[in-house]
C-alpha cells in the first residue's frame, strides 16, 4: 500500500469517526452539533498552515526558489507566480492581466513538471489542484529541447 492509499484510508477513517461522533452528540444535545463539514474545513485550514513551501528548481540555474502552493487557488495562479518569479520580475499588473498565462507559457521555452511523494517526475497540470498541492514536493522547470529529428526522413 503506497502512502497516498494510506492517506486516503486514514482520511476516510477520520471522516467516519467524526460522523459517528456527531451522531452520538446529536442524540444528547439540543440543538444538534454543528455539521461535520465545518470540522473538516477547519482541518484543511490547519493543514494549509503547516505544510511547507515547495522548492522551485530551474534546470541550469544554481539558485532555487520556494513557493507556497496554498497561497494559490489553481494552476493559473501558480503559472502567473512562476512567470513573475522567473521571467517578468518588474511586470506591470495592468499589462499582465491582459495576457493569459497558463502552465504552457509561464516560462517561455520551458515546461513545468513536479516531483511527487515517490520522487516520480510528472507533468504539472495532470491532477486536480487539491491533489496536486498534497503530492507535489518539488517543482522543476525544464527546458524544452528542439526536435533534433526535424527534416530527417519525415515528410
Amino acid at each position: 500500500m503506497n502512502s497516498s492509499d494510506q492517506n486516503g484510508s486514514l482520511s476516510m477513517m477520520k471522516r467516519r469517526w467524526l460522523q459517528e461522533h456527531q451522531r452520538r452528540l446529536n442524540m444528547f444535545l439540543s440543538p444538534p452539533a454543528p455539521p461535520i463539514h465545518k470540522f473538516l474545513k477547519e482541518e484543511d485550514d490547519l493543514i494549509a498552515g503547516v505544510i511547507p513551501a515547495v522548492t522551485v528548481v530551474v534546470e541550469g540555474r544554481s539558485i532555487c526558489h520556494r513557493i507556497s502552493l496554498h497561497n494559490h487557488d489553481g494552476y493559473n495562479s501558480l503559472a502567473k507566480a512562476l512567470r513573475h518569479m522567473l521571467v517578468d520580475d518588474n511586470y506591470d499588473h495592468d499589462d499582465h492581466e491582459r495576457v493569459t498565462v497558463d502552465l504552457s507559457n509561464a516560462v517561455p521555452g520551458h515546461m513545468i513538471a513536479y516531483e511527487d511523494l515517490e520522487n516520480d517526475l510528472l507533468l504539472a497540470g495532470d491532477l486536480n489542484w487539491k491533489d496536486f498541492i498534497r503530492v507535489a514536493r518539488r517543482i522543476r522547470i525544464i527546458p524544452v529541447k528542439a526536435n533534433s529529428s526535424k527534416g530527417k526522413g519525415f515528410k
Side-chain angles (χ1 to χ4, degrees):
M1 181 185 282
N2 65 27
S3 62
S4 65
D5 291 341
Q6 290 173 344
N7 288 342
S9 63
L10 285 175
S11 179
M12 186 181 347
M13 288 174 28
K14 194 182 303 183
R15 278 196 172 91
R16 285 183 185 161
W17 182 86
L18 286 171
Q19 288 170 343
E20 180 62 25
H21 185 68
Q22 181 178 358
R23 187 184 64 76
R24 287 181 185 170
L25 280 175
N26 287 340
M27 288 187 333
F28 300 106
L29 295 178
S30 182
I36 195 72
H37 61 81
K38 180 177 185 282
F39 294 113
L40 296 176
K41 172 70 173 127
E42 290 171 0
E43 179 183 302
D44 285 345
D45 292 342
L46 180 64
I47 290 171
V50 175
I51 295 176
V54 296
T55 304
V56 177
V57 178
V58 181
E59 298 292 320
R61 292 190 189 175
S62 58
I63 298 176
C64 299
H65 302 274
R66 303 275 291 161
I67 192 166
S68 177
L69 297 176
H70 291 284
N71 291 340
H72 301 281
D73 59 356
Y75 287 111
N76 286 340
S77 175
L78 174 63
K80 288 177 184 178
L82 291 172
R83 184 173 191 95
H84 174 67
M85 181 188 305
L86 302 170
V87 179
D88 300 331
D89 195 26
N90 54 0
Y91 73 101
D92 181 14
H93 288 283
D94 295 331
D95 291 340
H96 187 67
E97 294 301 321
R98 283 186 234 134
V99 177
T100 303
V101 178
D102 59 14
L103 291 177
S104 66
N105 67 358
V107 183
H110 293 76
M111 64 182 187
I112 300 171
Y114 69 97
E115 291 178 16
D116 67 0
L117 297 169
E118 298 170 348
N119 292 328
D120 293 330
L121 188 62
L122 304 162
L123 190 61
D126 62 345
L127 293 176
N128 71 43
W129 180 250
K130 274 194 140 183
D131 291 338
F132 172 74
I133 62 176
R134 288 186 180 146
V135 301
R137 293 296 168 245
R138 177 176 290 146
I139 295 176
R140 300 181 67 96
I141 312 295
I142 303 168
V144 177
K145 295 181 181 174
N147 189 356
S148 61
S149 64
K150 237 184 214 181
K152 293 183 180 179
F154 295 102
K155 294 184 183 181

